[in-house]
Amino acid sequence: MASSKWNTAVVWLVRIVVGCVFVFSGFVKGIDPWGGYYKLVEYFNAFGFPGLVQVALACAVALAAFEFVLGVCVLVGAFRRGSIVLLLLMMCVMLPLTLDLALTHKVADCGCFGDALVLTNWQSFAKNVVLLLLLLYLLLFNRRVHGLYGPAVNWVVGLLAVIYICAIAYNGYFTQPLIDFRPYKVGAKIGVPSTEAETSDEDYEFIYEKDGRQQAFDLDSLPDDDSGWEYVDRRFKPGKEPKARTQNAPVEIVYRGNDITDMVLPDTGRQLIIAFPRLQDVNISYTFDINEICDNAKRQGVSFFALTPADTAARAEWRDISMASYPIYNIDESELKTIVRGNPALVYVENGTVRWKRTLYSLDNTLIRNENYPIAKYDSDHDAAATLKHLTQALVVALLILLVFNRTHVLVRALVGHKKPQPDGDDSTGGDEPQDAAQAAAEQPAAGGDDAAAGDTANDKE
C-alpha cells in the first residue's frame, strides 16, 4: 500500500489540504498581530491566566509563524517527519481546547482564522478532528513520498517562510494589517447618513448605580448629581432599537451619556480620529505629535477628536498631562479595536468613508511638522497592496530559484532521459571487434586441440 502509485497521489493530496489550511491560518494571524494579541488576551483571561497577558503579543506572532512555516513545509514535503509530529502535538492541545470551548463557550469563537473566516466553536472542533485524521495518515505514509526539495535545503525553505511571515507581521503591528478583514476597512462607510439617524434620547433608558444596586431611568426622571447615583451605561428601550445606520455594524460614540455619532461622524465633511484603545498605556512622548496634528487639522478645516473606552478620571488625567485641546469621546473598546489597530492610531474619514488608517508611530514626522502638508496625504508613503504583493512575489521567486538549483539534476534527467548509446557500425573500434577476435580464434591450427581437450577432461575430473 505504501509503495502504490495511488497512495503517492493521496499523500500529495493530503499534503496540499493540510498545508493550505495551516498556511492560511498562519497567514491571517500574522497579517494582523494586534488581532492575535487581543484574542490571546481573551483566552488567558477566560481560562484564569491573566499573568500571561504580558507575553500575549509574542505568543501571537510565534503562533502565526509556527502555523505558517509548518504549513509551507507540509505543502512542499519538507521535513516530512518533523513537521507532521509538531503539528500533531499542536492538535493534541487544540482539539481538547476547542471541545471545551464548544461545550462551555468561554470564548465566543476560537479565532482559528482571525477575522478572515469566523467559525463557531463546534465548527472549529470538527475542523480539528478532520485535521487530526489527515495528520495521522501523513504520519504513516509521508516519509515514503519524496518532497519537492532535497533534505539538504529544507532548512532554507523554513527560513524563507519565517522571513516572509515576520515581514507581514511587522507591517501589521507597526502600520496596519496589509489586508483588512474587518468591517471598517479603507473604502468602507463609517459615517452616519443624516436621513437614517432616527433615534433620540427618549428611545433610551439610562442605567445608574448606587450602593451596589443598578436602576434604569427615563430621560425625564434622571437622578440629580448630588443624589448619590452614578451613571453606568445606557441602552435602548425594548422595541426602540434602530435599524442599521451604516453599511457596517453601527458605531456608537458617546459623550456624557448621549449618543453623538451622527453629530461628530456624519456622512459629510472630513474627520480625523485619534484612537486610544488603552489610554493608560499611551506613551506620553506622543503628545507633541498629537497636538501638532490637531493644530494642522484645524488649519485645514478637518474635524479632530479622540475616541477611547477610558473612564472620566482617565480622560481628565490625559487632558492635564497632554494639554489636549481636542474633544475626547467614549466608545466601546471592542468597537474601537475593530475600527483601527494600534495604540494610538489615526483614522481619516472623508464624506463618511474611511480613506486611510495608520498607527501614530508609523507616520513620517516631517509630514506632521509641515503645517501645509495635506492631512489626506499623510498615508501617501504606504501602499499595503503593493507591499504584500512584493513580499509574496519575493517568497515565490526565492522558492522557485531554490527548487531549480536543488533539483537541476532531476530536471536534466526529465528533459534528456536515460538513453543507452547505440553501436556505430562504421567505427573500426566499435562492436565488431569481439566478433572478429572470436573468428580468428576459431581459425587457429588444430594442433592445440588435444591439449585443450585434455585440459577440459582434467577440469571435469576436478
Side-chain angles (χ1 to χ4, degrees), residues 54-72:
Q54 302 298 326
V55 296
L57 177 62
C59 291
V61 176
L63 179 61
F66 182 85
E67 291 186 353
F68 183 82
V69 173
L70 291 182
V72 171

Side-chain angles (χ1 to χ4, degrees), residues 229-257:
W229 289 96
E230 183 178 352
Y231 172 80
V232 176
D233 196 6
R234 70 172 187 162
R235 63 192 178 205
F236 284 104
K237 296 177 181 178
K240 294 293 186 178
E241 294 84 357
K243 298 179 180 179
R245 294 167 297 173
T246 67
Q247 296 179 5
N248 304 302
V251 168
E252 185 179 44
I253 300 174
V254 179
Y255 181 66
R256 293 182 178 177

Side-chain angles (χ1 to χ4, degrees), residues 37 50 63 129 135 164 171 231 236 242 278 327 336 388 418 443 447:
Y37 164 74
L63 179 61
V129 170
L135 286 169
Y164 175 82
N171 279 272
Y231 172 80
F236 284 104
R278 293 184 59 82
L336 188 57
L388 179 61
H418 296 282
E443 295 176 352

